[in-house]
Amino acid sequence: MTVTDVRPVRVLIADDQAMVRGSFRVLVDHTPGMTAVGEAANGAEAVELARRESPDVVLMDVRMPDVDGIEATRRISADPALSGVRVLILTTFDLDEYVYAALRAGAAGFLLKDTPPMEVLTAIGVVAAGEALLAPSVTRRLIAEFARRPEPARPPSRSLDAITDRELEVLGLIARGLSNTEIAEHLHLSLATVKTHIGRLLTKLHARDRAQLVIVAYETGVTGVGRGGM
């Protein structure tokens, strides 16, 4: 396959601020291998454009009028026709409470709004390739914030009965924000073995990606290493 055979990553930009949308569009359109396929000023427009354009990635703001980014993400994730569309949430640390809701809604990950342009482009590429974007440094800060808040009472949505002790260790470390390389070093495993464990976790827990594994870990109380948490 030659370079010209590679289809560009198609990006939909959803933000209620025209200047923000325009800035992201310029950034995307001036990047080889990427193209902006539309702009949405609210969540309803984002869903409509996603159905019409079938982008690879939706760069989704949270706070938008009428339909917000969380509900738009939920609608996109629930639509079988949009199974190939990945949502990358834009957030700020004063809106941490939205991150958990966004991941539960089906977002592939999140970016901070002050992320440098090159990191935004890298993130779009990561999500378009089918990986969940949960930057360890960002995840650790979010986990620290969640840890200070009372956990809402909710029954576990998934059973851990089929999960081995080693897989549970890996799940706990994912929930703590460790990368695959860090997990391998922590557990003295090869990177390939860690990836195998993660693949089995995804299958057993019916999780679409790494982001959903973090949600499972929160919902089942696996916030550390081993059964029952830290």
Side-chain angles (χ1 to χ4, degrees), residues 116-131:
M118 290 308 298
E119 291 184 24
V120 171
L121 296 172
T122 298
I124 291 172
V126 168
V127 168
E131 298 294 329

Side-chain angles (χ1 to χ4, degrees), residues 202-214:
L202 291 169
T203 299
K204 291 180 179 180
L205 296 172
H206 307 290
R208 184 174 61 181
D209 51 33
R210 192 185 190 96
Q212 291 193 348
L213 288 180
V214 173

Side-chain angles (χ1 to χ4, degrees), residues 32-182:
M34 290 187 185
T35 184
V37 296
E39 299 177 27
N42 58 55
E45 288 181 10
V47 175
E48 180 182 350
L49 281 172
R51 288 171 177 157
R52 189 166 72 208
E53 300 292 341
S54 295
D56 299 299
V57 177
V58 180
L59 204 54
M60 184 84 75
D61 189 22
V62 172
R63 284 186 166 180
M64 293 186 290
D66 301 324
V67 176
D68 65 21
I70 305 299
E71 178 59 27
T73 298
R74 187 176 294 110
R75 294 181 187 180
I76 289 171
S77 299
D79 189 337
L82 299 178
S83 60
V85 178
R86 312 279 287 177
V87 177
L88 187 54
I89 292 287
L90 290 169
T91 187
T92 55
F93 271 113
D94 61 334
L95 297 177
D96 279 347
E97 64 270 21
Y98 291 117
V99 173
Y100 186 82
L103 295 179
R104 282 184 54 82
F110 56 86
L111 281 177
L112 302 182
K113 280 201 167 182
D114 60 357
T115 299
M118 290 308 298
E119 291 184 24
V120 171
L121 296 172
T122 298
I124 291 172
V126 168
V127 168
E131 298 294 329
L133 184 79
L134 290 173
S137 60
V138 175
T139 304
R140 289 185 187 118
R141 290 177 65 182
L142 285 169
I143 290 169
E145 173 64 22
F146 284 130
R148 289 194 291 269
R149 301 180 180 185
E151 284 291 325
R154 67 168 73 88
S157 59
R158 295 173 176 85
S159 171
L160 298 179
D161 292 344
I163 306 302
T164 67
D165 287 340
R166 178 62 87 185
E167 289 165 354
L168 200 68
E169 287 181 309
V170 172
L171 179 61
L173 293 171
I174 290 173
R176 286 168 53 187
L178 272 65
S179 66
N180 287 4
T181 299
E182 290 171 325

